[in-house]
């Protein structure tokens, strides 16, 4: 689950991280009122609030917004008004939103903090090592307009393996300071990083990203940007975070799946995968990639299940226009394979079956499930292992084209 920048910054403030003063606004008039509360003279920064990166380099679908991106330095109140007016109820397109873009329903008005240098910092889970990594990259700046902030592509990314540590070690902090190549207030940086780590663990985060942090002449460290993602499986412990969810930012299919207690994720274009387990999904995506198949989306059937929920969830994959073939791979335990078979037939009777479908069943009631599908006479393939099933699906897709 993701939240907006302004929501993340409220959490930052609670954990002692220095943030610029800011106000969220839903109308141009609210933006002006908010800016005046922050400062009488400015300057301010007007930021489109969508849950996607690269806002500063994005473009708006409505030309009235001009060529500037979704983060704009505003030197006067009139600038605040005009920038907020051009962003609100406009679609912002970035390299993370797809061609359709995301609707800007609110903006964040923030004080402009002058800094002498900037860095990208993030904490992220490395699923291979099952630990937390700290990543750092210098940021170069062409001028004071935030949209021109660029990562220095030529520099190496510093990667510090924090594992399950709840604080950064002296050696790691020294390595971070040495990498940044600039003097830091040692205690200031140590406190900043440790507060981030504590926030990360306390809220079961999967990502905290600051692009960038800024350091002013006094050596103070400011969180100029903020992004935070949370482990969906741990949200039952964080009702305050669940309350921050913005349904408008969630893909419609993903939202429907979540209401059934399932996990749905859009990726690229290619095959659709239906499984019951994160490990099975990851393994299938990797195996598909190895034989030249991209994955459009996957659906993880977990949580409370019944035939109606399964049927509705399978429809999410069947009706996705980016899907050109489907692999259903169920390792039945608590989830009975025959329920999946019934769901497949219900969807096929409702929508038809006009793309290749491969099914693999193992576990509870697998023989009953296979018999149900064989008796249905549906044009699908039943396989005994993932590898041969993916090869069969690839061949069927190629023959269709």
């Amino acid at each position: 689950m993701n939240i907006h920048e302004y929501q993340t910054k409220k959490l930052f403030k609670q954990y002692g991280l220095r943030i610029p003063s800011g106000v969220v606004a839903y109308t141009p008039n609210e933006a002006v009122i908010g800016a005046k509360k922050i400062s009488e003279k400015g300057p301010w920064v007007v930021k489109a609030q969508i849950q996607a990166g690269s806002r500063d380099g994005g473009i708006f679908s409505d030309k009235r917004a001009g060529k500037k991106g979704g983060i704009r330095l505003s030197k006067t109140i009139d600038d605040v008004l005009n920038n907020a007016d051009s962003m609100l109820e406009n679609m912002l397109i970035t390299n993370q939103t797809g061609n359709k873009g995301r609707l800007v329903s609110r903006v964040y008005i923030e004080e402009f903090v002058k800094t002498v240098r900037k860095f990208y910092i993030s904490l992220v889970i490395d699923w291979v090592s099952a630990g937390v990594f700290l990543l750092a990259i210098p940021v170069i700046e062409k001028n004071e307009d935030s949209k021109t902030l660029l990562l220095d592509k030529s520099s190496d990314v510093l990667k510090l393996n924090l594992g399950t540590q709840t604080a950064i070690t002296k050696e790691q902090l020294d390595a971070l300071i040495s990498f940044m190549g600039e003097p830091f207030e040692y205690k200031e940086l140590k406190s900043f990083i440790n507060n981030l780590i504590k926030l990360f663990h306390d809220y079961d985060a999967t990502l905290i990203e600051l692009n960038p942090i800024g350091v002013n002449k006094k050596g103070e460290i400011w969180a100029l940007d903020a992004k935070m993602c949370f482990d969906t499986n741990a949200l039952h412990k964080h009702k305050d975070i669940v309350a921050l969810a913005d349904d408008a930012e969630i893909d419609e299919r993903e939202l429907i799946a979540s209401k059934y207690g399932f996990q749905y994720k859009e990726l690229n274009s290619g095959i659709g995968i239906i499984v019951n387990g994160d490990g099975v999904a990851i393994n299938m995506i990797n195996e598909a990639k190895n034989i030249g198949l991209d994955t459009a989306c996957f659906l993880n059937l977990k949580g409370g299940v019944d035939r109606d929920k399964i049927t509705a969830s399978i429809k999410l994959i069947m009706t996705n226009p980016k899907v050109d073939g489907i692999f259903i791979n169920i390792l039945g335990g608590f989830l009975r394979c025959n329920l999946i078979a019934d769901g497949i037939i219900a969807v096929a009777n409702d929508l038809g079956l006009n793309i290749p479908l491969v099914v693999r069943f193992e576990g509870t009631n697998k023989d009953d499930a296979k018999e149900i599908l064989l008796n249905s006479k549906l044009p699908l393939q039943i396989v005994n292992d993932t590898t041969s099933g993916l090869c069969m699906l690839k061949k069927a897709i190629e023959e269709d084209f």
Side-chain angles (χ1 to χ4, degrees), residues 46-60:
V46 179
K47 298 183 172 185
Q49 294 298 285
I50 62 169
Q51 292 174 12
S54 301
R55 290 171 296 163
D56 53 336
I59 58 172
F60 286 92

Side-chain angles (χ1 to χ4, degrees), residues 7 24 31 35 38 41 55 75 81 89 94 102 111 133 152 167 171 197 273 290 313 326 331 333 350 400:
Q7 295 167 326
V24 66
I38 295 169
K41 295 182 179 180
R55 290 171 296 163
K75 296 182 179 180
L81 177 67
E89 302 307 315
T94 79
R102 298 276 182 85
E111 70 170 314
F133 268 74
D152 184 356
E171 292 73 21
I197 295 171
I273 295 172
N290 289 338
S313 297
I326 299 172
L331 306 180
D350 185 21
D400 268 8

